[in-house]
């Protein structure tokens, strides 16, 4: 049976507490005031049944499926729910053809809700484009992943993207309190109470994921024997693992935080973000590669040894694996954080690449061609005049040393002790 077959007025007692406590209308919907507050565009579109194709992007348990449930109950359109994980091209084609026939014969619109839309292969996403563009279907896609990385750009451009944010601690606390007192859908008939420290822990450990918070609350309730009070001990027994799951968006944000902390020389912050990446199960070899890139991009000529340390850390990760691999990664991160910084090599190659990209492929000067008869070794003949660049780009300057670390010696040679050329 599909989720949308359940009527909000008739909660099923055998359902998990988190399912029973789903909001039944927009007034019961917690969070997302930036989207669903009074007068907001999305709320008005739902209330007036004038939805356009959209993608709901947000972390788990931020309300994407609950919002789709509410829309299914408020719209006059035919509402179809599909899950991308098990969705094939034939199923999608049938849904679109049915939508086309419904509108042709009965002038009935179709809203197609695709959960986990990021799981669709790119060619299947492409097949949606004509139906979305001509209005055959109004698409609502839900994803926990990055729209920019996991959804094809042509589909994104045809949809409004609404970003849902994690529930705040106060919102989680309010939902838990409601679940404890609601006699119809919650645990109100049991006359339960919860200690303040247990409530604080439950709110904190849920990390904004109300589904897991309610599941833990329900488990703690089932464990009660001769008391009606849910204690901190019971919550901890029910919730033994702090959930710090990461989506694609979180993954890129965490990686960005690590890189920028290293660039800023913020060692404690960098170690924290490294720990976060490792804790959620990011491939340590991926982290090692990012450290190698940073060693040359932002430390570079100021401390050339940083590249050696980073590469050694990468090889150590491959050699020993986790969990010990966290140690060479931490060492490399600390070394890079504490190193002087220079991005002169990064700027030099980018400037040269831009010139190559925007000019023709000039001939290699005769002096430095393979087998050249006019080439003179400059080590033996330091005053020899050799053409190293094509005459069309002669005089171009790419490398500008920075007055930092080891590179300060090169800087002085280029610009003199006072920093003037």
């Amino acid at each position: 049976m599909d989720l949308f077959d359940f009527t909000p007025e008739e909660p099923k007692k055998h359902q998990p507490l988190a399912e029973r406590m789903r909001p039944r209308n927009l007034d019961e919907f917690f969070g997302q005031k930036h989207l669903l507050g009074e007068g907001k565009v999305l709320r008005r579109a739902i209330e007036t049944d004038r939805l356009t194709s959209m993608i709901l992007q947000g972390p788990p348990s931020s309300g994407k499926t609950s919002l789709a449930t509410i829309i299914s109950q408020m719209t006059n359109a035919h509402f179809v729910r599909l899950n991308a994980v098990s969705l094939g091209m034939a199923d999608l084609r049938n849904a679109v053809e049915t939508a086309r026939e419904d509108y042709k014969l009965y002038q009935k619109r179709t809203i197609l809700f695709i959960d986990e839309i990021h799981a669709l292969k790119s060619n299947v996403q492409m097949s949606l484009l004509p139906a979305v563009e001509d209005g055959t279907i109004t698409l609502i896609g839900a994803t926990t992943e990055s729209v920019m990385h996991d959804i094809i750009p042509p589909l994104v451009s045809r949809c409004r993207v609404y970003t849902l944010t994690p529930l705040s601690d106060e919102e989680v606390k309010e939902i838990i309190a409601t679940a404890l007192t609601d006699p119809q859908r919650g645990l109100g008939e049991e006359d339960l109470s919860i200690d303040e420290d247990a409530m604080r822990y439950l709110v904190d450990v849920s990390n904004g994921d109300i589904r897991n918070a309610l599941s833990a609350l329900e488990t703690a309730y089932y464990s009660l024997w001769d008391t009606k009070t849910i204690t901190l001990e019971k919550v901890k027994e029910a919730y033994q693992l702090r959930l710090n799951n990461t989506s694609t968006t979180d993954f890129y944000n965490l990686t960005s935080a690590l890189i920028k902390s290293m660039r800023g020389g913020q060692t404690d912050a960098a170690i924290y973000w490294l720990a976060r990446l490792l804790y959620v199960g990011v491939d340590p070899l991926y982290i090692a590669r990012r450290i190698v890139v940073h060693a040359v991009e932002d430390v570079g000529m100021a401390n050339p040894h940083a590249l050696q340390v980073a590469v050694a850390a990468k090889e150590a990760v491959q050699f020993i694996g986790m969990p010990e691999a966290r140690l060479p990664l931490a060492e490399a991160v600390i070394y890079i954080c504490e190193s002087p910084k220079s991005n002169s090599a990064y700027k030099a190659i980018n400037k040269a690449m831009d010139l190559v990209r925007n000019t023709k492929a000039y001939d290699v000067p005769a002096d430095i061609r393979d087998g050249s008869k006019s080439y003179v070794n400059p080590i033996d003949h330091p005053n020899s005049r050799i053409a190293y660049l094509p005459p069309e780009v002669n005089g171009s300057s790419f490398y500008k040393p920075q007055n930092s670390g080891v590179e300060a010696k090169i800087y002085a040679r280029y610009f003199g002790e006072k920093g003037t050329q």
Side-chain angles (χ1 to χ4, degrees):
M1 184 175 288
D2 191 271
L3 169 66
F4 298 111
D5 292 331
F6 295 134
T7 58
E9 293 76 23
E10 299 178 0
K12 312 299 182 184
K13 289 300 183 182
H14 66 274
Q15 287 182 289
L17 177 62
E19 190 65 28
R20 301 200 306 270
M21 290 303 298
R22 281 192 185 277
R24 296 166 292 189
N25 52 58
L26 292 176
D27 291 332
E28 291 183 356
F29 198 97
F30 280 87
Q32 318 312 327
K33 297 300 184 184
H34 63 296
L35 300 177
L36 299 172
E38 290 292 340
K40 295 298 183 180
V41 172
L42 181 55
R43 185 183 183 113
R44 289 291 300 155
I46 295 171
E47 291 175 334
T48 58
D49 200 11
R50 294 180 178 176
L51 291 172
T52 57
S53 291
M54 69 181 76
I55 297 175
L56 303 175
Q57 175 190 27
S61 198
S62 56
K64 301 181 295 298
T65 303
S66 293
L67 183 56
T69 307
I70 293 170
I71 291 172
S72 74
Q73 295 157 2
M74 294 181 66
T75 184
N76 290 318
H78 184 209
F79 197 98
V80 178
R81 180 189 181 186
L82 299 171
N83 193 297
V85 174
S86 58
L87 181 60
M89 187 73 82
D91 299 324
L92 191 57
R93 189 179 296 113
N94 289 338
V96 171
E97 286 303 316
T98 300
R100 186 172 284 111
E101 288 298 314
D102 283 349
Y103 189 79
K104 181 178 179 181
L105 297 176
Y106 311 110
Q107 287 72 56
K108 187 81 168 178
R109 296 180 300 111
T110 295
I111 296 176
L112 181 61
F113 173 61
I114 301 181
D115 205 2
E116 310 294 344
I117 192 170
H118 59 271
L120 288 180
K121 294 181 179 179
S122 58
N123 64 316
V124 181
Q125 292 185 37
M126 288 290 290
S127 70
L128 283 168
L129 298 180
V132 172
E133 189 160 19
D134 66 15
T136 299
I137 60 170
T138 298
L139 174 67
I140 301 179
T143 179
T144 58
E145 305 302 326
S146 169
V147 168
M148 302 308 296
H149 292 94
D150 295 281
I151 311 296
I152 60 172
L155 185 57
V156 175
S157 71
R158 289 163 173 79
C159 300
R160 288 288 304 274
V161 177
Y162 296 104
T163 300
L164 284 70
T165 57
L167 295 175
S168 69
D169 288 353
E170 284 303 313
E171 289 164 343
V172 172
K173 186 176 181 179
E174 191 171 351
I175 295 173
I176 293 172
T178 301
L180 284 170
T181 56
D182 189 319
Q184 182 183 13
R185 297 183 296 153
L187 304 172
E189 293 181 348
E190 307 301 328
D191 194 27
L192 300 173
S193 63
I194 183 170
D195 288 344
E196 186 60 33
D197 56 351
M199 173 68 88
R200 283 197 301 269
Y201 181 82
L202 185 56
V203 170
D204 177 64
V205 80
S206 67
N207 228 21
D209 189 330
I210 190 59
R211 183 185 297 109
N212 281 285
L214 291 175
S215 296
L217 178 69
E218 188 173 24
T219 301
Y221 156 63
Y222 288 146
S223 70
L224 297 179
W225 181 248
D226 57 354
T227 180
K228 294 286 187 177
T229 301
I230 298 174
T231 63
L232 176 60
E233 180 184 4
K234 291 299 182 183
V235 172
K236 285 186 174 180
E237 288 177 4
Y239 217 152
Q240 296 182 7
L241 175 67
R242 177 181 291 272
L243 292 181
N244 284 325
N245 295 333
T246 183
S247 66
T248 302
T249 302
D250 296 330
F251 166 74
Y252 284 109
N253 284 338
L254 291 173
T255 304
S256 175
L258 172 63
I259 295 300
K260 288 170 182 171
S261 297
M262 287 194 293
R263 181 178 296 141
Q266 300 298 309
T267 304
D268 289 333
I271 288 294
Y272 170 77
W273 296 119
L274 172 64
R276 286 279 301 273
L277 286 165
L278 292 172
Y279 185 80
V280 299
V282 173
D283 183 359
L285 193 57
Y286 169 83
I287 300 173
R289 287 196 294 266
R290 297 310 308 165
I291 294 173
V292 170
V293 171
H294 177 70
V296 291
E297 181 177 330
D298 294 312
V299 176
M301 296 294 294
N303 183 5
H305 292 300
L307 178 58
Q308 295 175 313
V309 172
V311 172
K314 181 188 75 69
E315 293 178 351
V317 168
Q318 291 175 302
F319 182 64
I320 63 177
M322 287 293 287
E324 289 83 357
R326 73 191 189 282
L327 301 176
L329 288 175
E331 181 179 334
V333 165
I334 293 171
Y335 187 87
I336 287 175
C337 282
E338 299 298 332
S339 291
K341 305 297 189 292
S342 170
N343 59 1
S344 60
Y346 172 80
K347 290 180 177 178
I349 187 59
N350 284 349
K351 191 173 181 181
M353 291 293 291
D354 284 340
L355 181 63
V356 170
R357 189 180 298 113
N358 295 308
T359 57
K360 63 179 294 185
Y362 299 116
D363 292 335
V364 175
D367 288 345
I368 58 173
R369 289 181 188 172
D370 184 41
S372 171
K373 302 298 183 182
S374 59
Y375 176 74
V376 177
N377 190 328
I379 298 174
D380 297 326
H381 305 278
N383 296 321
S384 58
R385 299 177 63 85
I386 300 174
Y388 287 98
L389 279 172
E392 295 86 354
V393 295
N394 193 30
S396 297
S397 176
F398 307 112
Y399 173 58
K400 183 178 180 181
Q402 296 179 11
N403 193 16
S404 177
V406 175
E407 196 176 20
K409 295 180 180 180
I410 304 174
Y411 179 89
R413 180 161 58 85
Y414 268 64
F415 301 111
E417 295 297 334
K418 296 183 179 180
T420 57
Q421 193 166 20

